[in-house]
Each structure stands twice: as structure tokens, then as C-alpha cells.
Amino acid sequence: MSSNASARNTFATPEQLSTLSTSGWNLISSSPASAPLANPPAAESEGYAAQPPSQQRLHRSFEFKDFSQAWAFMSRCALAAEKLNHHPEWSNVWNKVEIELTTHDRDGALTGLDVKLAERISVFAQEGGDRKAAAGV
Ligand SMILES: C[C@H](O)[C@H](O)[C@H]1CNC2=NC(N)=NC(=O)C2=N1
């Protein structure tokens, strides 16, 4: 199993989420819909917890000098997403970028792929001149 495939099959750990929150990522949790999950989670033998975590997302806002710097940042994120086959939900208004991460194939749980992509995005933000990271907000 490729490392990406195995990362998609493991839920993000509280420690990983805590580390991401110190670098500006916000954890958004919503209680799962009352209806049973569309695809019941795989058995524990495949590395799934007995019950999937509630619907979870990672969110972070970015602000750059101008559109050009924002677009350069988004370009690096896009290449990383393609390499991981794991893609953000994002928006851009001039110099601002909003990114949300979750794993659609795991009914909106946060998995190792969300962690991997968030870590890469954090590096690109730091290197790309994100003013929120610089300001420590
Ligand atoms: C077939 C499926 O779309 C692919 O395996 C990938 C594409 N990119 C993806 N991105 C995200 N965020 N979640 C996914 O489950 C996902 N699946």
C-alpha cells in the first residue's frame, strides 16, 4: 500500500492536530449527521477506529503582499495536492487565501493526508510571505 493510501486510512491523531493548531490551523468539528455514515467505516483490522470521529475540518486563513504572491503560494499548494492526490477546498480574493482540509473519501474525517498536506501548506506560507504567520496570528 502506498504511503498516501495508508495515510488516507489513518485518522489524524490529537497530537498531530495540536501541533497544527500551534502553527495557525483551526480545527472545525461538527457532530455527524444523525443518519448512519454512507460508507460504514472499515473494520478496526484495517486501522480504523471503532467509531469514526465527528465530521472534522482544518481551516486556515492566509494574507500575502498582493495577488501575485498569493497565486504563487496557491500554485505550490496545488502541486503538493496533486502529488498527494489529496485536494484542498479553498478560495482566493486578491491577496487573501482561505483553505479548508478534510478527507472526502472518509466521510469528512481528518486523516494522515490532511496532516501531510497541512504541513506542506504551512511551509509554503512561511516561505511565501504569509503575513498572518509572520504576525503570529
Ligand atoms: C477518487 C478520489 O477523488 C481521489 O482518491 C482523491 C482526490 N482528492 C481528494 N481530496 C480530498 N480532500 N479528499 C479525498 O477523499 C480525495 N480523494
Side-chain angles (χ1 to χ4, degrees):
M1 182 184 289
S2 76
S3 66
N4 289 351
S6 62
R8 194 187 300 281
N9 289 333
T10 54
F11 291 133
T13 66
E15 295 73 23
Q16 289 172 323
L17 297 177
S18 173
T19 301
L20 287 172
S21 71
T22 60
S23 57
W25 291 91
N26 304 303
L27 176 64
I28 303 169
S29 292
S30 56
S31 57
S34 55
L37 289 175
N39 307 312
E44 284 194 53
S45 60
E46 292 182 40
Y48 273 86
Q51 283 298 324
S54 63
Q55 304 288 308
Q56 291 186 322
R57 310 172 74 81
L58 285 170
H59 170 269
R60 186 168 169 183
S61 303
F62 305 86
E63 185 175 313
F64 297 92
K65 174 167 64 73
D66 53 24
F67 175 76
S68 175
Q69 208 177 63
W71 187 254
F73 163 73
M74 293 178 76
S75 298
R76 295 187 75 187
C77 294
L79 293 176
E82 275 296 280
K83 190 171 182 180
L84 288 171
N85 187 30
H86 196 72
H87 302 84
E89 298 173 23
W90 51 358
S91 62
N92 160 246
V93 178
W94 193 59
N95 68 330
K96 293 182 174 61
V97 181
E98 298 282 335
I99 296 183
E100 287 198 0
L101 303 176
T102 190
T103 300
H104 308 131
D105 292 350
R106 297 293 175 264
D107 296 302
L110 285 176
T111 66
L113 281 180
D114 297 300
V115 173
K116 277 186 175 186
L117 185 54
E119 289 168 346
R120 297 301 296 142
I121 291 171
S122 297
V123 170
F124 301 150
Q126 184 74 32
E127 292 175 351
D130 172 39
R131 293 173 169 174
K132 285 183 182 282
V137 295

